[in-house]
Amino acid sequence: MTDTKRICLALGSGGARGYTHIGVIDELTARGHEVVAIAGTSMGAVVGGVHAAGHLDEFTAWVTTLTQTGVLRLLDPGFGQGGVVKGDRLFDAMKGFIGGMDIEDLPIPFTAVATDVDSRQEVWFQHGPLDAAIRASMAMPSMFTPVVINGRLMVDGGLVNPVPIDPTIPIPADLTIAVSLNGNSEGRARSEARTAEESPEEARRWHIPGLTTAKAQPESVRTWQDAPKGLGYIDLISRSLDVSTELVRRYRMAGHPPDVLVDIPFDACKVMDFHRAQEMIDLGRALAIEAFDAAGV
């Protein structure tokens, strides 16, 4: 049994893959560790905020009962307002977990990260209504409609900080644990030994063992084919955002690497597969066990 530790959590963005955050938190609790600060982006803000509010068990009981039909009933149209989904029905259903609470009054210090699209700035919500902060943080472009807070147009924080470690830095803790929802398809942690393709110079440049820089792939153009049939608009948007946010994550995490990284495969589920909660929770816990055991946490 490892010694109990004070943990700062950075929970990343990635739609329904964010249910894996619940499994990670469950495993930390099972090992007796204390979460002393949480920063979250998008779905990381949802799960992190609910946990900071002390309602994660009730939230988990609710999401694990959601069917695909039940999820669709929560998605009200937002066409003409900058997104496919407005989100009012969803947040009405979540009021029991986050409604009426202010961030500064939460038992665990919490930060929700959003993006001000006009000023192109990262915004940290650390005071004020919890539900408004989470709503701003999860406004994924083209999917959930943006919101205006204090006259500023807010969208998903994953555009600028997909795994927000920075807000947790001032909090005294033994370890910082980050959960990225954009890992490779095998789900291997990026904290593994350096790959054969990576040079020592690249490893030193990034300051993260096992992280390789992306290299352009040369290609000879002959002709083109139509995109695969059945490729959905939302799926394409989310996969495209995954590409850009992963590059941002690499740069941000290079400056402030976590002590432990739990890496969730980007293809574990589709961004809107909110009916697959139990499956994702189980995956999160399994990958957390693997990462924690390797780090001796």
Side-chain angles (χ1 to χ4, degrees), residues 275-289:
H275 59 288
R276 297 173 61 184
Q278 190 60 62
E279 179 186 347
M280 291 299 101
I281 292 170
D282 293 343
L283 175 63
R285 187 157 194 171
L287 293 178
I289 290 172

Side-chain angles (χ1 to χ4, degrees), residues 11-12 48 55 68 70 76 93 102 114 138 141 189 196 200 211 216 223 232 236 270 277 283:
L11 304 180
H55 296 299
Q68 194 165 17
D76 44 347
D102 289 330
M138 64 172 286
L211 177 60
T223 185
L236 179 60
K270 293 183 179 180
L283 175 63

Side-chain angles (χ1 to χ4, degrees), residues 28-50:
L28 281 173
T29 302
R31 296 182 182 221
H33 300 305
E34 179 188 3
V35 176
V36 297
I38 303 172
T41 294
S42 196
M43 192 61 175
V46 174
V47 175
V50 171

Side-chain angles (χ1 to χ4, degrees), residues 218-241:
E219 189 72 46
S220 296
V221 177
R222 293 181 176 86
T223 185
W224 72 85
Q225 296 175 318
D226 291 337
K229 290 185 178 180
L231 177 62
Y233 167 79
I234 291 177
D235 188 38
L236 179 60
I237 290 292
S238 67
R239 288 166 65 177
S240 300
L241 286 172

Side-chain angles (χ1 to χ4, degrees), residues 66-270:
L66 290 175
T67 63
Q68 194 165 17
T69 301
V71 170
L72 290 174
R73 288 172 178 164
L74 292 172
L75 304 180
D76 44 347
F79 295 106
Q81 295 178 275
V84 175
V85 178
K86 190 173 182 182
D88 289 349
R89 293 178 192 166
L90 176 62
F91 268 78
D92 283 345
M94 290 182 60
K95 280 183 179 178
F97 312 113
I98 59 176
M101 306 187 76
D102 289 330
I103 298 173
E104 60 268 31
D105 296 329
L106 298 177
I108 300 174
F110 173 70
T111 303
V113 178
T115 303
D116 180 338
V117 293
D118 291 326
S119 68
R120 304 181 183 183
Q121 290 181 327
E122 178 178 346
V123 178
W124 294 0
F125 290 108
Q126 298 176 323
H127 298 86
L130 176 62
D131 55 358
I134 290 176
R135 177 64 181 86
S137 181
M138 64 172 286
M140 180 179 174
S142 298
M143 185 173 301
F144 286 98
T145 58
V147 294
V148 176
I149 296 181
N150 298 330
R152 306 171 74 179
L153 187 64
M154 300 289 179
V155 297
D156 197 309
L159 294 180
V160 291
N161 203 344
V163 186
I165 294 173
D166 315 54
T168 70
I169 292 173
I171 308 296
D174 298 310
L175 294 171
T176 297
I177 295 176
V179 185
S180 170
L181 305 182
N182 205 24
N184 62 47
S185 59
E186 293 82 14
R188 297 192 184 101
R190 291 189 176 93
S191 57
E192 290 179 355
R194 180 164 42 88
T195 62
E197 301 82 41
E198 182 186 22
S199 69
E201 290 75 16
E202 286 175 324
R204 284 194 293 270
R205 174 187 173 190
W206 288 104
H207 308 295
I208 306 176
L211 177 60
T212 59
T213 54
K215 297 178 177 64
Q217 299 297 313
E219 189 72 46
S220 296
V221 177
R222 293 181 176 86
T223 185
W224 72 85
Q225 296 175 318
D226 291 337
K229 290 185 178 180
L231 177 62
Y233 167 79
I234 291 177
D235 188 38
L236 179 60
I237 290 292
S238 67
R239 288 166 65 177
S240 300
L241 286 172
D242 280 346
V243 175
S244 59
T245 55
E246 173 60 6
L247 182 60
V248 174
R249 185 201 66 80
R250 290 185 181 203
Y251 277 103
R252 297 299 297 260
M253 203 172 284
H256 296 294
D259 298 295
V260 180
L261 174 62
V262 180
D263 222 3
I264 309 300
F266 75 91
D267 56 355
C269 72
K270 293 183 179 180

